[in-house]
Amino acid sequence: MSSHESTGSNAAKVVDEKDVGMPAYTADTVTAAADPYDGPTRDERWATRNGLSLDSFKRRPGGASGLAELDRSMKPRHLNMIAIGGSIGAGFFVGSGKALATGGPASLLIDFIIIGIMMFNVVYALGELAVMYPVSGGFYTYATRFIDPSWGFAMGWNYVFQWAIVVPLELTVVAIAITYWNDQVSQGVWITVFLVIILIINLFGALGYAEEEFWSSCLKLSATIIFIIISFICVLGGGPEDGKYSEYWGSRLWDNPGPWANGFRGFCSVFVTAAFSFSGTELVGLAAAEAKNPVKALPSAIKQVFWRITLFYIVGLLFIGLLIPSDDTSLTSPISNDPSTSPFVLVGKYAGLQGFDHFMNFIILVSVVSIGVSGVYGGSRTLTALAQQGYAPKVFTYIDRSGRPLASVGFCLAWGLLAYINLNETGGTIFSWLISLSGLAALFTWGSICYSHIRFRSAWAHHGHTLDEIPFKAIGGVYGSWLGLILVVLVLIAQFYVAICPAGEPGFGDVAGFFEAYLAFPVVILFWVVGYFWKREGWLKLDQIDVDTGRRELDWEEINAYRAMIARAPWWKKVLHQLY
């Protein structure tokens, strides 16, 4: 008997099991079919509901699980824009310059394609899991449920620190971006101003994050499209007469200085920049827990990632490699993540387009603020979920009446104060070590998502279920997740090689350089060990994996009717369905 045929008979069992299952399930968690739970009750008062009154800061009563739950105020348009443009930031706009100088245009393009293929499979695996098991607060819960509770502990804290460290990093980049226009004001002033801006946005909770991401993503994507169009014209020689691209440019830079830089070491080193550029793509799965109807909104949002990878990343970087030489000294700077080294800014400057470099610097400014807001959002939701499972202090379970996890938001915002360290002469060294903690963190998250999906499919079959009972299936199935996991492992190996043999340097690097490049790995292992001694739980066997508790209740009549409609549709509609 299929699960959707026996929903009613299993409903009471599922409700009873909630206390021993994952406590971080959202409002969509399966309950009795006759009395479906529609999520946390929002305050009727507008000011309290939107976090604009003192009353809004009071603790929200517990939901069906006995724990206060996050809001479900996000709309499909929010999820779509978070998926397609939410994580486009300093890694793409600024980091691509250093990557071009380190590996050359061919390495830049190939490495981003490889990471793009990896992310394509990661988000589809995440989409399948998130539609089946709605969790508020973190992907680590899938690792806890399907792999190993101690590894889930490690992934949860790894993800919290990944985003916590990103907040001061982005604030530093914002301050540097401002100096492109005015270097007379201390960077500390701008760090303070934008830290307050991030605080204000987070005061509006999930809806504040969603609206900020929607409009900033619209701006980033529009700017990227404009850049691609201008670059295409410049490659054909249609640039202004007083610029470099006033005659046919073509692919001359692939001949001189050539497609590669620093050989195999350069090729391997670009992977980290590519991975950092894609960091945050998985936030769409986190945000889905606070969407009004994630069953309908999430699959559409997941499919948008394909367009971001192909159109914006790959096409944009192709033109970067055609227009900016990899040996251009302007691509590097003693200041980390200096927006003036951005190839997007340099194209406008070299083309003689008055004001375009300032426009792109403004886009970079918006992008890094957006990523800073995402850092607070992603880190705080994951920390709250950790606390709800007993993996973090209980104070972080506090959710107020407007749906904000206040203690967790405060914790992540406090990390922004580390941006002031860079104002000290010796602060740069300390800050570099902090950044190294988050350098590889995303790769462990993505690998865990892929392997959680693989283990879920194995347990699903082990317990007698069929693929027809899965409402939204990853386009590559288990094979896609294996491909994503293998690529994650290969990138980690490549980074290990670069940590030992840095690009652009003869022979081997030193011990300090190795740990600065690979510090995240021993930290994750430390978290794993701590998690084991904390919970005394290890690797899960297939018969230990519960695939029923917390499973979303679905209208299978509607789903089957929709599947039948797609099956009858012409081939071109089926293709559009897969892409959109």
Side-chain angles (χ1 to χ4, degrees), residues 3 73-74 94 99 113 133 154 178 259 338 389 401 428 433 483-484 576:
S3 67
S73 53
M74 292 193 196
V94 182
I113 289 174
Y133 304 99
I178 294 291
D338 185 351
Q389 271 197 285
R401 292 187 176 183
W433 280 93
L483 176 60
L576 289 177

Side-chain angles (χ1 to χ4, degrees), residues 408-460:
S408 299
V409 168
F411 175 84
C412 294
L413 280 171
W415 281 76
L417 300 175
L418 291 175
Y420 293 106
I421 292 178
N422 264 338
L423 302 179
N424 187 283
E425 290 183 2
T426 59
T429 303
I430 300 172
F431 200 65
S432 295
W433 280 93
L434 289 173
I435 293 173
S436 67
L437 283 173
S438 65
L440 299 176
L443 289 166
F444 289 101
T445 298
W446 300 335
S448 292
I449 291 171
C450 287
Y451 195 54
S452 294
H453 178 243
I454 293 167
R455 293 276 291 169
F456 156 69
R457 284 288 190 95
S458 298
W460 188 251

Side-chain angles (χ1 to χ4, degrees), residues 22 31 56 74 167 198 246 279 294 315 335 371 483 486 509 544:
M22 305 284 286
T31 59
S56 69
M74 292 193 196
V167 175
I198 292 174
S246 59
S279 293
V315 177
I335 302 174
I371 298 298
L483 176 60
I486 290 169
Q544 292 179 289

